Amino acid sequence: EKGGFDSFMAKEIHDQPQAVADTLLGRVDSNGRLALDELRIDADELKAIDKIVVLACGTSAYAAHVAKYAIEHWCRVPVEVELSHEFRYRDPIVSPSTLVVTISQSGETMDTLMALRYAKEQGARTLAICNTNGSSIPRESDAVLYTHAGPEIAVASTKAFLAQITATYLLGLYLAQLRGNLFRGEIADTLADMAAIPAKIQSILDREDEVKELARAMQDTTSVLFLGRHVGYPVAMEGALKLKELAYIHAEGFAAGELKHGPIALIDEGKSVFVVVPSPRGRYSMHSKVVSNIQEVRARGAKTLVIAEEGDEAVQDFAEWVFRVPETKTLLMPLLTVVPLQIFACELAGAKGLNVDQPRNLAKSVTVE
Ligand code: F6R
């Protein structure tokens, strides 16, 4: 069942090229236009949406964070991301022109289900992004966009996360297409880059030993920090969550720009810091700021573990260890940069002799509030 891997999690990490490919399958026509007829919300209604609220918990909430960057950029609609359990109890503002998107692998997360019911009571239109056919959250939503990651057995979410990002991007591009926010060519170009992602993930998996070696060497580490900026920020938080839940190590993800506002005080000799570096081909100032952050923590004795694009020469001199990911559009980078962080957590937990698939105190679906 584990397909020759040591754990379901390792298998599911390796399923990711397929999970992304399957989530794209059948949703793009031969003209490079999105065909999301499966959404049961009327196109005119979708055009009239003036706010999107994305609700989720845990890893699914990090997919929501990533989605915000893409959807706002492409559709020019405000996107709010909120943890389901926080949304439900704070008197949030939703109206019939609000699209409430829930993201859930299991479709049974009680916090998200209750938030969905609340949003419906307030008159919002609701759309579920879900990996489990016929589960409660999609059943109770106006529309569903299924992620086709296949069953996820390991408690820690991996392939569902990539499929969720893929699905939210399809939704974002679809809304941009409906609303005329993007030129046809831009949509087709982005979809073509998304179609190239599975092979790029595979090329990362083919080099997983580089990450595994680092993980095994770090099995006695007690604290690891993760920094990222823009879409790399939720990736940093996801990398930290994977390490906490699997290896029981203190881990924290930060927005790299926050460093100087406090977290830099945590840096001392030998502290391990992962840095997710944006592409130097994107906004140059963003890239150079993150490179400065690497220098800043390095100057204070940190062990800098860098995830950077192939050909990014600027990081080399300040990195203790570098893992290269293939080039892609900035917005698509999370689909690549999170993979080494998943492998790292999985391998480190395994090296500590822990049960990777069933970490202590956790359940695969959290059906209590
Ligand atoms: C982390 C993890 C959890 C889930 C969260 C939401 O690895 O698995 O944080 O992401 O409990 O679950 P779903 O997506 O089923 O609503």
Side-chain angles (χ1 to χ4, degrees):
E1 270 180 322
K2 292 178 190 161
F5 292 97
D6 293 343
S7 60
F8 281 107
M9 183 178 177
K11 173 187 176 285
E12 288 162 5
I13 288 172
H14 283 260
D15 285 344
Q16 293 184 118
Q18 196 65 47
V20 172
D22 286 349
T23 301
L24 292 171
L25 198 71
R27 287 166 165 165
V28 184
D29 72 18
S30 52
N31 299 319
R33 281 180 70 78
L34 274 154
L36 294 186
D37 305 335
E38 59 194 286
L39 294 182
R40 298 172 307 231
I41 301 183
D42 186 72
D44 286 335
E45 240 179 295
L46 282 177
K47 273 190 218 167
I49 293 298
D50 59 13
K51 182 167 87 167
I52 298 175
V53 175
V54 193
L55 303 176
C57 303
T59 291
S60 299
Y62 296 139
H65 275 271
V66 171
K68 175 185 166 87
Y69 291 88
I71 298 175
E72 286 193 342
H73 178 70
W74 290 330
C75 306
R76 311 310 300 152
V77 180
V79 178
E80 290 174 10
V81 174
E82 196 159 357
L83 294 166
S84 312
H85 35 89
E86 285 295 319
F87 171 82
R88 173 67 186 78
Y89 292 98
R90 71 165 179 88
D91 218 358
I93 300 166
V94 290
S95 76
S97 57
T98 307
L99 178 66
V100 169
V101 177
T102 55
I103 306 181
S104 176
Q105 188 286 129
S106 62
E108 299 296 348
T109 299
M110 189 54 73
D111 286 317
T112 303
L113 182 59
M114 296 309 281
L116 164 66
R117 288 182 182 159
Y118 180 80
K120 280 170 69 182
E121 278 164 29
Q122 307 300 306
R125 303 322 312 268
T126 57
L127 187 154
I129 291 181
C130 185
N131 198 47
T132 312
N133 262 296
S135 55
S136 304
I137 292 170
R139 265 194 284 121
E140 296 193 22
S141 301
D142 296 321
V144 193
L145 191 58
Y146 280 109
T147 47
H148 296 146
E152 198 177 57
I153 310 285
V155 165
S157 188
T158 53
K159 62 177 179 173
F161 179 67
L162 265 66
Q164 287 164 346
I165 294 174
T166 304
T168 59
Y169 280 23
L170 290 175
L171 175 67
L173 292 170
Y174 182 66
L175 290 175
Q177 177 178 291
L178 274 181
R179 302 161 64 98
N181 297 103
L182 290 179
F183 295 117
R184 226 172 138 146
E186 271 181 279
I187 296 176
D189 183 52
T190 305
L191 287 168
D193 285 356
M194 286 172 73
I197 289 288
K200 292 180 182 179
I201 298 171
Q202 189 56 52
S203 80
I204 291 171
L205 297 173
D206 292 342
R207 289 184 289 114
E208 68 175 356
D209 285 345
E210 295 172 34
V211 184
K212 288 182 164 181
E213 203 181 306
L214 175 76
R216 287 193 294 267
M218 283 176 63
Q219 57 182 289
D220 297 323
T221 307
T222 52
S223 169
V224 182
L225 304 181
F226 294 76
L227 300 179
R229 196 172 177 118
H230 192 262
V231 287
Y233 169 36
V235 169
M237 293 195 287
E238 171 62 2
L241 179 61
K242 289 283 96 86
L243 198 58
K244 290 177 216 186
E245 61 182 342
L246 294 164
Y248 318 148
I249 290 176
H250 167 251
E252 238 176 299
F254 298 105
E258 261 318 89
L259 198 61
K260 58 186 175 302
H261 300 287
I264 198 160
L266 289 168
I267 307 295
D268 57 6
E269 197 60 39
K271 170 80 72 189
S272 299
V273 184
F274 272 97
V275 187
V276 181
V277 183
S279 168
R281 297 169 306 110
R283 245 175 258 164
Y284 175 73
S285 62
M286 187 163 78
H287 172 263
S288 63
K289 286 194 168 85
V290 177
V291 174
S292 301
N293 292 142
I294 304 174
Q295 290 174 256
E296 283 153 16
V297 297
R298 167 78 167 227
R300 288 163 179 81
K303 179 173 160 187
T304 48
L305 311 169
V306 173
I307 314 283
E309 195 175 80
E310 273 161 11
D312 180 351
E313 299 303 333
V315 300
Q316 201 68 46
D317 294 343
F318 315 109
E320 190 96 3
W321 175 90
V322 191
F323 187 84
R324 299 288 178 178
V325 297
E327 288 185 4
T328 190
K329 285 191 167 48
T330 294
L331 285 170
L332 302 185
M333 285 186 84
L335 296 165
L336 304 179
T337 52
V338 78
V339 178
L341 302 182
Q342 298 167 334
I343 296 166
F344 178 77
C346 183
E347 183 68 14
L348 198 151
K352 285 176 80 170
L354 300 172
N355 185 337
V356 169
D357 289 332
Q358 284 193 299
R360 67 184 182 201
N361 310 336
L362 294 173
K364 183 65 184 162
S365 65
V366 184
T367 52
V368 290
E369 258 192 287

